[in-house]
């Protein structure tokens, strides 16, 4: 039980400012890991006692050799075995039933909602994490506010400040910006965007390059797409690059067909990469300053389809992990319907998770997701 | 090459930029008459540049010369009338050749399957290089731009259709052919396109369990847009699309499977009926939203991508509907809209990698000898041709200029500008020996297809020809140019094409007698932040191709699997022997024999089971009696009474099984196109009409196939080790029946002409088509001399023409001094157009 849990239990209900924390507040960071294509929640966190699960998934339901039981209700897909040390160390939180009202079934629209904190009634217009972090970030003179390592910038939509993307550490260490790149403000939004991005690069490039050159190890292995990103993330963190947000992704989760093998491969890849990242961060003492969060645009249907796959659903469980995370199961798993035509309904708004991460972990002064705050997550981190 | 010299010289001659503005004003006074519409306005150089870059790829001096000073009306009509439906350079031959046996992959031994897949990947290398060449050389860049537009609308991805090179290439030709046609026809054709049907899972769309993937994207991304259809419409559309599939055994053609089609009543947009795919297209196109949706997409792609103009779009959409969805007409109207020419809509689109890279090459007339690696350059910037990231295509806009991509773009432009082909001391090619080009390709030479990852320099290599292990020829040490810099870009991502290129090395006056080729990687290097590697795909000499996968690698880190030879991560040698013909060759004719390259087990079920026991063999590369088949299938079945029969169906042969099908051939109510013939092993009564009414030649074929059925079985059974376990088990159950069959065949009516032999030989599995020409493409179709001519003529029109006006005429402020090419290319404004 960590200190914060204790405070909770004492009933103070509020975080006392100035209370020493195990994590180094200045260096707290969050790693966002998008499972692109929509991960199948039910075969990730398996409700193995649920009859409807077996009824709706005659071909896809995992048997006792294909899962690892966490308790007498839920199990992890066996391919996630590398995450078991985290579970046993109490560093893996599972948040059940995340979703939002009026689910959107389009990959593109729904991921944009998750990225900007919107829902089926209202789209967001700004990266969810950037809004409450911009000021702090600007004040603290960090190397960058956030870096996307998968090349996608959607999570930093319309953000002000040094929000970057990076392909390899060497790219930053060895690239030069054109001499004349600092542009004045323009009323052409594209020129303005170019200017902003070049300026952000200009502010960060040398600082990061210097650290990378001074650093000991800059991973540049040829691995799979996720392990390249986790290696790069570990390198950046361990060479002392100050950046509170890193964004990674693993694609291929849109398993409409032949899900069994594909999903297993994806989860194995996921487990291994996270395990390796954790090991590298524990070694450098940074794991306690890190929280890693998974998310997807939506979940998948409870029922399997005729092609051995699952279709777009509305709800899924996700992981929050880190040295300071209080592991365990949070919230309530959504009811699995008895028939194939009924959708599962979310039991926790995903923005409750965002709120907890902003307020409790990054300790931002404000959180735009306050109104979704959910007491069930008070002890998350 | 004098090309760059010319560019430099224009920069020198442009003294005062102010005079240019003056000169332009004098040359093209604004229209004075009140009735004159904006379409009579004459194009300034900047206008011409705007029109050309938006509709084409960059703006070459020749194109600028053609358009500057002309009226907007003439110019826009000229662009639209210049749209073509066929490419200028012939597409690689394999695209039209019979499709590889994709369906047989699962039945191939591991090594053969890997080799098969490598060949498909090699085809895509060729296809990408072909398209890049076409985009560089074409005199109709508007065709390329519009084709690329549709490629990004009706997306399909090579990687996601299981590397079916043929289908993705044929889809490209379809989009090209109909790019400026009628949207109704385009849409209808796309819905029958094998690549699309596979990409969006319609090949699995069965009435029993409709797959909604194609239906959903059809409504969301292809025609209406989100919010303009309901889930019920998606379900109805999916049911209307059931049964539309692909015939892998008929040259990957579209195939309608009526028994999978749902002919029940569907509800789509509130209307009820037994809708089929044609009705679906009609129902969709009856909705005004389609015109608005497509017009908006055009507007964003050609006018302004961040701010739509509802008024203009409304007018254009109405016009689009009135013309019955005529794309060319919409396009012309769009280019003739005032919005297209408005100053606010200049610099309003982010250049795609194709615009940036190919546009820069065409504009400057400069192309590097390692142009073949350009597909990989485009992929590094996020535009891997034939492989958009998902069904929504490349998102473009700000996504092209994410910070890391901006760095990649800047660094390519810098490299391009500094790659000074005009400097005799630093030629664009870095090889020690002169590169061979199209002009002297008839001299004896060796071609090597290779790719490189660089680390503190590029891989060096040397090629030797050996006879009895003695050197009979050796190249000088070569350095690969155009490799992928791992220190800045990271290692090559899996799934992203390597920067393959073909390098030609002259062999002197004659080809020495040799039996082995050795490629040596000389200078391995690597560190924590990168690695230097050399990849060899093949070497060809004298029309023979030596594939690395047949080679042996002796290096510091040999590959785990022998067929992965050719990836040299450490210094060492690759030894190649065992060539295949490099040119397309017809399989040899064997008039008196049935020959086939291979026989595959196509399908089977349990012979002891209740359900029509059947064993289907497919022969590939078949020749018999001067006839040839790409594939030909025979079904062996046990009938209810325990007797045997062989049958053949038209959808399993390509070309058709028989020269003529007897009128009494079997069909089926739910398959009107089916033709099937049954040949029972009937030893007593007369043969049935299926056999009686066949042509003599066809009857001979039936005899031979029947008599060799046991032989086919034994062929397949011998190689059962690479079959899946359950298949092998079931196959073994057939053995007693085959033995029994063998006994009965001799006395059957099919044995009359059985002197014929059947031979299965894997000797020609690899039919190579002639390699594409590798000569350096001519930007915008112009030689360096012609390019210089154009510049000079343009200078006569605009005496103070500057380099900035050629590249960035819409930039408000002239840059101080005489900016160099590199300075101009590095302007932020150069990222836009």
């Amino acid at each position: 039980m960590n200190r914060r849990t204790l405070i909770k239990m004492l009933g103070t209900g509020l975080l006392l400012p100035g209370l020493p924390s195990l994590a180094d507040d200045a260096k707290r960071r969050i790693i966002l890991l998008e499972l692109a294509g929509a991960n199948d929640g039910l075969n990730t966190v398996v409700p193995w006692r649920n009859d409807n699960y077996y009824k709706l998934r005659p071909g896809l339901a995992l048997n006792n050799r294909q899962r690892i039981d966490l308790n007498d209700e839920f199990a992890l897909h066996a391919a996630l075995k590398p995450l078991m040390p985290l579970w046993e160390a109490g560093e893996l939180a599972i948040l059940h039933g995340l979703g939002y009202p009026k689910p959107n079934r389009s990959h593109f629209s729904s991921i944009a909602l998750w990225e900007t904190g919107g829902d089926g009634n209202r789209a967001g217009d700004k990266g969810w994490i950037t809004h409450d972090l911009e000021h702090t970030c600007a004040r603290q003179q960090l190397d960058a506010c956030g870096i996307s390592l998968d090349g996608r910038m959607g999570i930093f939509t319309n953000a002000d400040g040094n929000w970057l993307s990076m392909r390899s550490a060497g790219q930053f260490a060895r690239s030069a910006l054109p001499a004349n790149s600092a542009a004045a403000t323009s009323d052409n939004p594209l020129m303005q965007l170019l200017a902003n991005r070049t300026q952000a690069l200009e502010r960060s490039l040398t600082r990061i390059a210097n650290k990378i050159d001074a650093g000991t190890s800059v991973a540049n292995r040829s691995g799979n797409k996720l392990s390249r990103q986790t290696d790069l993330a570990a390198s950046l963190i361990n060479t002392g690059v100050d950046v509170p947000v890193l964004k990674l992704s693993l694609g291929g989760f849109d398993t409409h067909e032949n899900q069994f093998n594909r999903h297993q491969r994806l989860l194995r890849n996921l487990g291994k990469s996270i395990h390796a990242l954790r090991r590298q961060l524990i070694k450098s003492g940074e794991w306690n300053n890190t929280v890693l969060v998974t998310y997807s645009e939506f979940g998948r249907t409870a029922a399997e389809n005729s092609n051995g796959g699952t279709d777009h659903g509305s709800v899924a469980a996700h992981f929050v992990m880190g040295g300071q995370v209080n592991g365990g199961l949070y919230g309530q798993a959504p009811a699995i319907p008895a028939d194939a035509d009924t959708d599962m309904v979310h039991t926790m708004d995903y923005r409750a998770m965002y709120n907890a991460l902003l307020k409790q972990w990054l300790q931002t002064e404000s959180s735009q997701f306050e109104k979704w705050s959910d007491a069930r997550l008070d002890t998350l981190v | 090459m004098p090309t760059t010299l010319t560019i430099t010289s224009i920069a020198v001659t442009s003294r005062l930029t102010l005079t240019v503005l003056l000169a332009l004003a004098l040359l093209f006074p604004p229209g004075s008459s009140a009735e004159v519409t904006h379409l009579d306005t004459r194009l300034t150089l900047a206008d011409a540049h705007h029109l050309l870059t938006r509709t084409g790829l960059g703006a070459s001096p020749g194109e600028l010369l053609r358009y500057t000073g002309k009226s907007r009306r003439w110019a826009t009509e000229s662009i639209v009338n210049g749209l073509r439906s066929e490419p200028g350079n012939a597409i690689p031959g394999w695209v039209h050749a019979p499709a590889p046996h994709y369906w047989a992959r699962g039945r191939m031994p591991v090594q053969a399957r890997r080799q098969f897949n490598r060949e498909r990947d090699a085809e895509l290398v060729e296809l990408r290089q072909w398209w890049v060449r076409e985009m560089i050389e074409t005199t109709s860049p508007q065709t390329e731009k519009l084709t690329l537009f549709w490629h990004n609308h009706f997306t399909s991805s090579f990687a996601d259709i299981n590397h079916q090179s043929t289908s993705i290439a044929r889809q490209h030709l379809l989009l090209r052919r109909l790019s400026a046609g009628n949207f109704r026809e385009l849409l209808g054709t796309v819905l029958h396109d094998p690549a699309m049907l596979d990409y969006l899972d319609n090949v699995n769309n069965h009435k029993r369990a409709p797959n909604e993937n194609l239906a959903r994207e059809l409504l969301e991304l292809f025609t209406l847009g989100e919010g303009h259809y309901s889930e019920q419409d998606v379900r109805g559309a999916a049911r209307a699309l059931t049964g539309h599939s692909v015939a892998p055994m008929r040259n990957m053609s579209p195939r309608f499977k009526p028994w999978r089609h749902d002919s029940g009543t569907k509800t789509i947009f509130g209307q009820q009926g037994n809708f089929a795919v044609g009705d679906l297209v009609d129902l969709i196109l009856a909705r005004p939203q389609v015109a608005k949706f497509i017009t908006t997409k055009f507007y964003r792609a050609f006018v302004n991508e961040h701010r739509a103009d509802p008024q203009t779009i409304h007018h254009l959409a109405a016009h689009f509907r009135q013309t019955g969805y005529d794309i060319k007409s919409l396009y012309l109207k769009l280019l003739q809209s005032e919005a297209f020419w408005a100053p606010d809509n200049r610099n309003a689109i982010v250049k795609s990698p194709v615009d940036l890279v190919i546009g820069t090459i065409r504009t400057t007339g400069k192309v590097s000898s390692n142009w073949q690696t350009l597909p990989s350059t485009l992929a590094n910037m996020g535009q891997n041709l034939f492989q958009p990231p998902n069904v929504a295509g490349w998102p473009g806009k700000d996504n092209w200029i994410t910070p890391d991509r901006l760095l990649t773009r800047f660094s390519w432009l810098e490299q391009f500008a500094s790659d000074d082909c005009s400097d005799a001391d630093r030629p664009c090619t870095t090889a020690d020996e002169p590169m061979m080009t199209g002009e002297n390709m008839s001299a004896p030479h060796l071609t090597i297809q290779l790719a490189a990852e660089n680390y503190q320099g590029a891989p060096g290599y040397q090629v030797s020809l050996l006879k009895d292990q003695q050197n009979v020829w050796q190249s000088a040490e070569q350095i690969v140019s155009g490799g992928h810099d791992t220190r800045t870009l990271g290692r090559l991502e899996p799934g992203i094409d390597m920067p393959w290129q073909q390098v030609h090395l002259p062999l002197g006056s004659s080809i020495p007698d040799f039996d082995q080729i050795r490629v040596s990687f000389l200078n391995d290097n690597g560190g924590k932040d990168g690695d230097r590697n050399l990849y060899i795909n093949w070497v060809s000499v004298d029309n023979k191709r030596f594939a690395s996968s047949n080679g042996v690698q002796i290096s510091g880190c040999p590959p785990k699997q022998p067929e992965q030879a050719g990836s040299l991560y450490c210094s060492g040698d690759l030894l190649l022997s065992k060539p295949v013909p490099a040119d397309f060759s017809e399989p040899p004719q064997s008039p008196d024999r049935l020959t086939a390259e291979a026989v595959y087990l196509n399908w089977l079920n349990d012979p002891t089971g209740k359900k029509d026991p059947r064993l289907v063999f497919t022969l590939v590369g078949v020749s018999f009696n001067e006839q040839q088949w790409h594939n030909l299938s025979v079904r062996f079945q046990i009938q209810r009474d325990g007797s045997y029969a062989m049958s053949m169906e038209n959808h399993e042969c390509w070309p058709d099984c028989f020269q003529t099908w007897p009128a009494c051939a079997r069909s089926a109510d739910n398959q009107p196109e089916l033709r099937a013939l049954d040949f029972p092993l009937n030893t007593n009564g007369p043969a049935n009409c299926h056999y009686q009414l066949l042509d003599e030649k066809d009857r001979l074929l039936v005899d031979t196939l029947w008599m060799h059925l046991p032989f086919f079985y034994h062929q397949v059974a011998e190689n059962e080790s690479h079959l899946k376990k359950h298949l092998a088990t079931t196959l073994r159950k057939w053995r007693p029946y085959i033995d029994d069959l063998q006994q009965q065949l001799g006395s059957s009516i099919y044995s009359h002409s059985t002197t014929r032999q059947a031979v299965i030989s894997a000797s020609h599995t690899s039919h190579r088509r002639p390699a594409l020409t590798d000569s350096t493409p001519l930007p915008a179709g112009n030689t360096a001399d012609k390019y210089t001519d154009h510049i000079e003529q343009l200078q006569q029109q605009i005496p103070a023409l500057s380099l900035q006006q050629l590249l960035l005429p819409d930039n408000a402020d002239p840059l101080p001094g005489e900016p160099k090419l590199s300075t101009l290319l590095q302007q932020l404004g150069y990222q836009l157009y």
Side-chain angles (χ1 to χ4, degrees), chain A residues 2-69:
Chain A
N2 82 4
R3 238 156 271 183
R4 204 161 298 111
T5 323
L6 187 66
I7 296 165
K8 275 288 154 223
M9 293 183 70
L10 288 170
T12 57
L14 282 172
L15 270 177
L16 302 179
L19 197 77
S21 157
L22 288 174
D24 177 353
D25 285 0
K27 286 170 104 188
R28 286 186 171 195
R29 75 182 64 82
I30 189 163
I31 299 177
L32 302 167
L33 172 47
E34 177 189 346
L35 309 178
N39 183 35
D40 177 27
L42 288 186
N43 269 17
T44 303
V45 179
V46 187
W48 62 280
R49 277 291 173 80
N50 190 306
D51 290 344
N52 288 348
Y53 170 72
Y54 297 96
K55 192 178 148 204
L56 294 184
R57 297 191 163 197
L60 283 181
L62 301 175
N63 65 32
N64 58 2
R65 288 187 317 279
Q66 293 157 344
R67 56 167 210 258
I68 306 166
D69 296 350

Side-chain angles (χ1 to χ4, degrees), chain B residues 76-200:
Chain B
T76 49
E77 281 171 1
S78 162
I79 293 287
V80 171
N81 291 334
L83 287 166
R84 297 178 194 152
S85 52
E86 300 295 331
N89 288 300
I91 200 160
W94 54 263
V95 179
H96 295 302
H101 301 292
Y102 299 107
W103 55 269
R105 259 189 291 208
R107 302 279 192 272
M108 292 177 186
V110 181
Q111 194 157 338
R113 186 163 65 233
R114 291 214 181 96
Q115 178 61 30
F116 181 93
N117 289 337
R118 279 177 78 129
E119 282 177 24
R120 307 292 77 79
D121 291 349
E123 283 165 352
L124 253 280
V125 171
E126 225 174 65
L127 186 68
R128 290 185 171 118
Q129 288 180 355
W130 165 80
W131 197 9
V132 161
R133 167 189 288 280
E134 182 71 10
M135 290 195 283
I136 294 174
E137 287 196 325
T138 182
T139 50
S140 175
Q142 57 267 52
T143 301
E144 304 311 310
K145 195 68 165 275
L146 201 54
T147 305
L148 186 60
F149 171 85
W150 289 120
H151 177 36
N152 202 28
H153 182 79
F154 292 118
T155 53
S156 295
S157 149
F158 171 64
D160 293 330
I161 59 167
N162 213 354
H163 294 220
Q164 288 165 15
S165 43
T166 311
S167 298
I168 203 77
R170 290 177 186 172
Q171 181 187 68
H172 174 84
L173 289 178
L174 178 173
L175 296 176
R176 180 180 286 274
R177 183 165 54 83
L178 299 175
S179 59
N182 186 287
F183 184 72
R184 183 183 296 272
E185 188 188 354
L186 176 59
L187 180 63
T189 312
V190 163
L191 291 178
H192 292 89
D193 173 53
M196 180 62 76
L197 294 172
D198 192 299
Y199 182 57
L200 292 179

Side-chain angles (χ1 to χ4, degrees), chain B residues 9-10 13-14 790-801:
Chain B
S9 68
I10 332 158
T13 49
S14 66
H790 290 150
I791 292 269
E792 278 166 8
Q793 288 178 47
L794 207 54
Q795 270 178 305
Q796 279 167 16
Q797 261 192 44
I798 306 162
L801 183 73

